[in-house]
Amino acid sequence: MYVVSVINYKGGVGKTTMTANLGAELANRGMKVLLIDLDPQASLTFSFYEPDDWRDRLRDGRTIKRWYDGLRGDTPQATLGELVVSPGPANAHLKGAGRLDLIASHLQLVDIDLALARGVADGDEYDAELFRVRGSLAEGLHDDALDPYDLVLIDCPPNFNVVTQSAIIASDHLLIPARADYLSTLGIDYLHGNVRELVDRYNADSRRFATIRRHHKVAPGIAGVVFTMIQLMAQRPVAAQQGYMDQVRALGVPVFPTALRENATLFATNTPRGVPVVLRDRVTVPPVRDELRQITTEFLAHLQPAGAAG
């Protein structure tokens, strides 16, 4: 099972759209895919479930917040396998033996950082607890109930809080959706640096707190940057956006050859309900669906050297 976090500091870059459609297309190709929504906005969750359905069926006991709450010891610790749900409409559109499942988010996940830190002392005790929480998701994903999955895609919040850090530590790779603009380009550079610092600190802490938990060295790689919301002229990105795309390549970060064009109307239309664009039978702009499928192929190609796409 491979774990990939979908992350960008900047919101509004198509992160959730990419997670939902990438996961759906991988499942359509026969893979068993688990999506985990760590964003308190819960956009990925609401891509598959109506808000009323989430409130009635998921909110009180089947979201990732219940699992993070259990880390504090205030409530019994749930396993991640207990929280998995299967969105019916999306799975009904899959071909073959693939599967697309979800662990939903919760709107109150925004408060989890403070809740996890509450009552923890300063000094080594704080460092040890922070180390435990940062590594918690990686351990949680070793749940035997998750063994059948080929891939886990984690939709991260647009920040670098402890929840995001736990996703990074759990990941084999990071996928970075980005707009071709100044803030997104700047954010990629900062993100790359902060990930390196986090990983170095975590691996160093593992030597200090080796008696607390079993540890293996973590080293998530960058699967690549995929540009979204691109405006085309003569089938090429407009000059201003092309300049920012070139700047990202100059950072030495892998960039996907295929970019996803702008089509706000298409992605805002959730018809049929709960079915990602890449699975819809009739799409008003077929090139968008083709781009999503090509991005999926390129994503698998990035992972194949590590043996993830067998």
Side-chain angles (χ1 to χ4, degrees), residues 47-64:
S47 296
F48 295 100
Y49 287 91
E50 296 275 6
D52 288 347
D53 199 17
W54 172 84
R55 184 182 62 246
D56 295 341
R57 294 178 51 202
L58 306 180
R59 179 184 63 180
D60 293 336
R62 299 196 77 175
T63 75
I64 193 67

Side-chain angles (χ1 to χ4, degrees), residues 251-266:
L251 297 174
V253 179
V255 176
F256 282 53
T258 301
L260 187 63
R261 71 185 65 198
E262 175 76 63
N263 197 306
T265 302
L266 176 63

Side-chain angles (χ1 to χ4, degrees), residues 177-201:
R179 297 185 66 165
D181 60 23
Y182 175 74
L183 290 177
S184 291
T185 304
L186 184 67
I188 290 168
D189 198 18
Y190 277 105
L191 175 63
H192 198 202
N194 285 344
V195 168
R196 286 198 305 267
E197 290 180 10
L198 170 66
V199 169
D200 289 346
R201 172 66 185 273

